[in-house]
């Protein structure tokens, strides 16, 4: 909904992901005048029509400069905006912004890491992760988790993104629910509770693939109600994700705690899993983090 304000819109900030797109109409001081979300992510674009979509947004909100972040800058989006190598800062990202229309439309690059036998990439999440530190929502030295289709676990030092790991947690759950042996039973509501936490505890023992089949066996043998199956399997996957991090590159986070950037619905599941695994965690507003990051990048471009 449009906020009552005498401020004038000066910029469109677009979080343009794979399945969804969120537009923030900003005033010069970063105040959000209006927001809108739709399902016009890049998967709905089929590789074309991005310029027309940008024109449509300007037709609604005015002929304003536009700064986009997310999968719109991938090799399946409007243009491939490339990557900045970690360690990465907001200043480095701003310096590498790709101008689709000089001075008018720009796309934020992603961040990559490649070393010690492991390659990884992110696109869009870097704005939130670095924005959270820039706005003081998290400490300059912190451990962060950003749940989602591809969950990101990141380490910030001095406000810079120094390393990260991606886990396909959400995608695997979605794929299991679409087809295969476990699809029958994964249509229920996932919620924190005894079954979710039982899944988290089961994940501590490793052997995720066998435990996933065991979830099916428990259902067939009547040891778990069908309505509880989705929570248990989600607990297995999220628990496996969290346990793997805490047992390796996030080991020090057990003492320091983890900041979880997410909506309450998903973020609270990760908070529950981390709590079950003995790690303190707190929820951080991911939209506030994105706005802080994108406005900081835009200010560096002026």
């Amino acid at each position: 909904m449009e906020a009552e304000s005498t401020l004038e819109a000066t910029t469109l900030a677009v979080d343009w992901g794979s399945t969804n797109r969120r537009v923030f109409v900003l005033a010069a001081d970063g105040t959000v005048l209006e927001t809108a979300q739709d399902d016009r992510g890049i998967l709905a674009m089929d590789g074309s029509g991005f310029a027309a979509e940008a024109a449509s947004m300007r037709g609604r909100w005015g002929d304003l400069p536009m700064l986009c972040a997310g999968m719109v800058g991938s090799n399946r989006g409007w243009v491939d905006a490339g990557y900045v190598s970690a360690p990465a800062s907001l200043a480095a990202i701003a310096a590498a912004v790709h101008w689709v229309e000089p001075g008018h439309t720009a796309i934020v690059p992603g961040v990559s890491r490649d070393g010690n036998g492991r390659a990884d990439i992110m696109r869009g999440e870097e704005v939130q992760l670095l924005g959270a530190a820039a706005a003081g929502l998290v400490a300059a030295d912190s451990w962060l988790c950003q749940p989602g289709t591809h969950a990101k676990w990141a380490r910030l030092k001095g406000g810079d993104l120094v390393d990260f790991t991606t886990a396909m947690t959400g995608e695997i759950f979605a794929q299991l629910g679409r087809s295969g042996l476990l699809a029958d039973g994964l249509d229920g509501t996932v919620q924190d509770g005894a079954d979710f936490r039982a899944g988290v505890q089961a994940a501590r023992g490793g052997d995720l693939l066998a435990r996933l089949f065991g979830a099916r066996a428990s259902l067939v043998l009547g040891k778990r109600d069908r309505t509880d199956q989705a929570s248990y399997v989600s607990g297995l996957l999220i628990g496996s994700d969290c346990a793997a991090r805490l047992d390796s590159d996030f080991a020090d986070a057990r003492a320091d705690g983890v900041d979880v950037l997410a909506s309450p619905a998903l973020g609270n599941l990760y908070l529950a899993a981390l709590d079950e695994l003995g790690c303190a965690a707190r929820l951080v507003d991911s939209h506030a983090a994105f706005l802080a990051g994108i406005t900081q990048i835009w200010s560096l471009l002026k």
Side-chain angles (χ1 to χ4, degrees), residues 55 92 171 175 184 271 277 282:
E171 180 172 342
Q175 292 291 345
D184 179 28
L271 262 61
L277 296 171
R282 70 184 187 94

Side-chain angles (χ1 to χ4, degrees), residues 189-202:
T189 301
V190 175
Q191 56 188 351
D192 180 20
D195 289 278
F196 177 83
R197 291 184 180 241
V200 173
Q201 287 294 338

Side-chain angles (χ1 to χ4, degrees), residues 14-269:
V14 186
D15 188 1
W16 207 332
S18 296
T19 57
N20 297 302
R21 179 181 63 184
R22 183 182 290 269
V23 182
F24 299 87
V25 183
L26 306 178
D29 64 354
T31 299
V32 179
L33 303 179
E34 188 176 351
T35 64
Q37 183 172 344
D38 57 35
D39 60 358
R40 296 296 290 167
I42 69 160
L43 296 181
M45 304 294 295
D46 197 26
S48 63
F50 291 97
E53 287 290 328
S56 177
M57 285 185 275
R58 288 189 169 107
R60 177 174 176 180
W61 289 293
D63 188 23
L64 302 171
M66 183 181 299
L67 183 58
C68 306
M71 290 299 288
V72 68
S74 72
N75 58 6
R76 299 182 64 182
W78 193 346
V79 296
D80 188 338
Y83 296 93
V84 172
S85 297
S89 64
L90 285 172
I93 288 172
V97 158
H98 182 96
W99 288 97
V100 182
E101 301 167 314
H104 204 45
T105 306
I107 300 178
V108 175
V111 175
S112 65
R113 63 94 62 209
D114 187 5
N116 301 320
R118 182 172 65 85
D120 210 331
I121 54 175
M122 67 167 62
R123 192 174 287 284
E125 295 91 352
E126 69 288 332
V127 176
Q128 292 188 25
L129 295 168
L130 292 167
L137 300 174
V138 303
D141 296 342
S142 55
W143 305 91
L144 286 82
C145 172
Q146 191 176 35
T149 303
H150 301 141
K152 303 292 183 183
W153 296 79
R155 178 60 166 150
L156 297 187
K157 288 186 178 180
D160 292 347
L161 174 58
V162 297
D163 202 3
F164 62 94
T165 298
T166 304
M168 297 177 68
T169 317
E171 180 172 342
I172 296 302
F173 183 81
Q175 292 291 345
L176 289 173
R178 290 190 187 104
S179 62
L181 196 64
L182 290 179
D184 179 28
L186 293 190
D187 54 347
T189 301
V190 175
Q191 56 188 351
D192 180 20
D195 289 278
F196 177 83
R197 291 184 180 241
V200 173
Q201 287 294 338
R204 300 184 74 166
D207 204 5
L208 175 63
L209 298 181
R211 293 183 185 279
L212 284 170
F213 187 85
R216 169 64 178 171
S218 293
L219 192 64
V220 171
L221 295 175
K223 295 185 177 296
R224 182 175 301 107
D225 290 340
R226 188 180 184 282
T227 54
D228 299 324
Q229 182 77 329
S231 293
Y232 177 78
V233 172
S234 177
L236 267 179
L237 292 171
I238 293 176
S240 177
D241 183 7
C242 293
R245 302 288 76 73
L246 295 175
D247 290 340
S248 57
D249 49 336
F250 260 55
D252 290 341
R254 287 187 181 276
D256 299 339
V258 175
D259 292 307
V260 179
L261 278 65
S263 65
L266 180 57
N268 284 331
L269 292 177

